[in-house]
Amino acid sequence: MKCLSRDEMEMFLTQSAVTNRSGIADHIAACSDCQRLKDALLQEQEQWSREMYAETLPESFTDQVMSALRDEEMESVAPAPMTERAGRAVVKRIRKMWWAAAGVASILVLLGVASFYSVPTVAEIIRSLFSRNNVDIGLLRAQEFGLVQHPNIKVKDKGYTLKIDEAVADPTRVVMALQLFGPDGKHERERLKLLEERNGNRIVVKDEQGKVLGKLEDIGATNDFYYLVAFFAQPIQSNRITIEGQIGIIDGDPWDKGFPAIKGNWNFEFPIDMTEAQKQTKITELQGEYNSPDGLTVRLKRLTRMVQGVRLELDTELSPEALMRSPGDLWQKQELMFHFEDAAGKEIHSVNSRKFPRMDSLMTQSRIPGDKPGLMHLSYTFKYLPENQPYRLVFDGYSVAERDGSSVRFEPARLKEEPVFFRTDGDNIRLKGFTIEHPPNTNSDETEGTLHVDGKLWNEFSYDDWTARDLEGKEYRVSMRGASGSSGSGWKDGMIELSQDYEFRIPGMLTVPERLTLIRNVVTKRYVNVDWSVEMNRSPGNRQ
């Protein structure tokens, strides 16, 4: 079975009627990529609901709901002959519907319970980007500052209607809610695929000169609409941007129920005024530099506060000695571990930590190679960071891909009786069995050798950096598959724990070989021998 896409995973998690649930569940349990996607979606939902949702409504809720309902467009229908009496009856029914809606809004206010944190316009009868299952503090700030825009896009073709009621933008990102209704009037959540290379569909963000700044991608998180987001690697400077959609095909059903692809024209375009968003943007230049014992230099650059988030920018650079350990483009695979804490030492947010439990409000991050080997431009955008009180950035460690070559030689047929261990650089993997698997129990239509393992990793995953070599010298690609987890009591400890049914898959291996050598060509090495923190919201400086 092939790995699930984000849309397919969301469908599996939210729709009990999905066919072959047991088969899909088995695949997810055995596939590390699908397990990580599933965990990310569940954690995303839990985090938003737990940390960002308020149980009370603003006093203006009723007025805004009533105003939105008053402006809501009614679908026109063909007129039918009507007597004066029938006309009065229809008017009465409409009035009853209006006051029924008003009553619902009033009841929600009285109860103090609703599916909103902040109140947008009601585009689809109390449905929007701000529903409870979708809480995003950046969007709430945008609502507070009046930056939610309503393009009122409605494009119809071939019986399908594409509708866009809400969009939000600041120099960090663009967020947009899109709905696609079929001929039966139901929302088609799985039919629109933004795969430019495959079907030509794309939605892009352009500046005033027509330059493409980014593409909107569906991040899931809700069944009510396509939650589309474009993140920018650098804060944009334009006072006006344009959202341009080129939609020419509605895909068939992802679960192969026989729904055909539909070709048509659902193109659209609308501008977004960024003037007010730019006014709300504040840039603070930062100072601070640290040289780690193993050759990584970290330099703070700037902190950009925007309506929808706070972006931290910094550079990292490897020394000539460290660069020798990461030849080719390996040096580009750098990750930092750090956290923020307040003046009392209480955690605010963490990045790439194995500590559990932990706080995490990272929205996006970017890694852009610099103009010379070893230099990386990194940025991290958070939902919020303290603005009027001091806090501290604490550097916990980093990882970087390095050339390895560690290996272990074994007899696959004897592993069940005599397990073999791969131990190096703090990693401890037990090789405990070997089988040959055939489709559909593989990652493709190809027969695979399967090395059954468990154990713990100190270093980060090196997913595509393993090979296997048989006695004849033939080498095979090796991929990792299965569930894993991590936990730690502090900022610098914690191991990645492989599940008991974790596997190394070897595509193309048809029989159990007499001897086999497992080789890790690259290790994503983890370093925590660092000691550095920087005071924020004060005169910038270092403390070591």
Side-chain angles (χ1 to χ4, degrees), residues 22-88:
S22 59
I24 297 173
D26 291 342
H27 170 79
I28 293 173
C31 176
S32 59
D33 291 336
C34 287
Q35 186 69 40
R36 280 190 296 275
L37 177 59
K38 175 186 173 183
D39 292 344
L41 289 175
L42 293 175
Q43 183 176 356
E44 183 178 75
Q45 290 295 315
E46 181 183 358
Q47 186 81 6
W48 286 356
S49 296
R50 183 179 67 247
E51 296 182 12
M52 309 302 178
Y53 179 63
E55 295 296 338
T56 58
L57 295 165
E59 295 178 358
S60 60
F61 176 75
T62 303
D63 292 339
Q64 293 192 42
V65 169
M66 301 308 292
S67 174
L69 287 171
R70 206 164 21 243
D71 296 335
E72 183 68 14
E73 178 185 349
M74 301 294 291
E75 296 287 345
S76 60
V77 296
M82 184 180 298
T83 65
E84 182 178 352
R85 181 176 179 180
R88 287 197 298 269

Side-chain angles (χ1 to χ4, degrees), residues 94-113:
I94 292 175
R95 287 175 178 168
K96 288 181 180 179
M97 292 171 62
W98 166 256
W99 288 111
V104 170
S106 300
I107 290 171
L108 288 176
V109 175
L110 291 173
L111 292 177
V113 178

Side-chain angles (χ1 to χ4, degrees), residues 370-534:
D371 56 4
K372 62 178 180 178
L375 176 63
M376 293 292 295
H377 305 299
L378 308 182
S379 74
Y380 302 85
T381 302
F382 303 90
K383 292 176 182 176
Y384 74 96
L385 282 173
E387 186 170 9
N388 300 315
Q389 61 262 23
Y391 64 100
R392 178 182 300 121
L393 182 154
V394 182
F395 186 37
D396 301 313
Y398 65 96
S399 64
V400 58
E402 298 181 357
R403 186 171 49 198
D404 188 15
S406 300
S407 64
V408 60
R409 193 179 184 190
F410 56 94
E411 298 179 35
R414 296 178 59 84
L415 287 178
K416 191 172 183 179
E417 292 76 23
E418 300 178 10
V420 173
F421 291 86
F422 176 93
R423 293 190 177 109
T424 182
D425 291 326
D427 300 329
N428 187 4
I429 303 174
R430 181 175 65 146
L431 285 55
K432 59 182 184 179
F434 194 95
T435 58
I436 299 296
E437 301 293 337
H438 305 279
N441 298 321
T442 62
N443 289 322
S444 65
D445 297 330
E446 191 175 9
T447 298
E448 297 176 343
T450 301
L451 181 59
H452 303 274
V453 306
D454 58 23
K456 296 182 178 181
L457 300 177
W458 166 256
N459 298 293
E460 301 295 337
F461 277 111
S462 299
Y463 293 104
D464 302 317
D465 300 317
W466 297 77
T467 56
R469 183 188 302 129
D470 62 20
L471 278 176
E472 288 71 37
K474 182 178 180 179
E475 292 198 349
Y476 299 82
R477 177 178 58 86
V478 176
S479 63
M480 306 171 75
R481 170 173 164 172
S484 64
S486 63
S487 62
S489 60
W491 299 110
K492 295 184 178 184
D493 61 9
M495 303 284 285
I496 297 175
E497 298 183 2
L498 306 181
S499 66
Q500 291 295 317
D501 57 355
Y502 207 89
E503 300 168 345
F504 283 4
R505 289 294 183 110
I506 310 175
M509 184 166 285
L510 306 180
T511 59
V512 178
E514 181 181 350
R515 286 186 179 273
L516 200 61
T517 302
L518 179 67
I519 307 165
R520 184 173 66 182
N521 302 297
V522 173
V523 56
T524 306
K525 196 164 184 178
R526 186 168 179 246
Y527 294 92
V528 297
N529 56 337
V530 298
D531 183 14
W532 184 52
S533 66
V534 178

